């Protein structure tokens, strides 16, 4: 998901949206931009692959590789109507439905 190219104009709008939604005073501008990039890149990944939903394995990969957790991006995507989940939730779902 993170590998999809995002244009500066897409990133700017997403950064503005993040700053409206969240108190960003405890994170760096670079972290806000990374979350914005993840939002826009994820949208492209979901749309390009015609997916109904995604599940993300976040720990330890996202923090180690990108310096952010995907939680804020996932909540923004959900607010936009995309279906997102943590990979742990899928395991719980399948265990509970068997």
């Amino acid at each position: 998901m993170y590998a999809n190219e995002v244009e500066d104009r897409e990133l700017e709008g997403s950064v503005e949206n993040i700053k409206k939604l969240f108190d960003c005073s405890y994170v760096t501008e670079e972290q806000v931009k990374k979350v914005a990039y993840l939002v826009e890149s994820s949208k492209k990944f979901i749309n390009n692959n015609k997916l109904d939903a995604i599940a993300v394995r976040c720990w330890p990969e996202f923090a180690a590789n990108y310096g952010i957790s995907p939680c804020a991006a996932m909540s923004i995507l959900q607010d936009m109507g995309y279906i997102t989940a943590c990979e742990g939730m899928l395991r719980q779902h399948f265990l509970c439905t068997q």
Side-chain angles (χ1 to χ4, degrees):
M1 288 186 320
Y2 207 82
N4 291 294
E5 291 293 322
V6 175
E7 296 180 22
D8 287 342
R9 64 179 169 72
E10 295 171 299
L11 201 56
E12 290 171 9
S14 194
V15 166
E16 288 177 24
N17 186 43
I18 290 167
K19 289 181 177 181
K20 288 179 187 174
L21 292 171
F22 301 105
D23 174 7
C24 297
S25 61
Y26 295 102
V27 296
T28 66
E29 186 68 18
E30 185 64 26
Q31 288 171 312
V32 173
K33 287 180 182 176
K34 286 180 178 184
V35 171
Y37 195 95
L38 182 56
V39 168
E40 296 304 322
S41 182
S42 296
K43 285 172 26 182
K44 288 183 179 193
F45 178 80
I46 294 166
N47 294 333
N48 290 343
N49 291 286
K50 298 175 176 65
L51 301 175
D52 294 323
I54 60 168
V56 177
R57 178 183 161 118
C58 51
W59 295 107
E61 289 86 355
F62 263 89
N65 295 333
Y66 305 114
I68 60 168
S69 73
C71 304
M74 289 174 63
S75 70
I76 292 167
L77 289 166
Q78 288 173 358
D79 193 51
M80 294 175 167
Y82 293 95
I83 300 170
T84 67
C86 297
E87 94 286 348
M89 299 304 292
L90 290 179
R91 231 174 313 167
Q92 284 181 318
H93 172 74
F94 290 117
L95 289 174
C96 292
T97 58
Q98 291 182 2

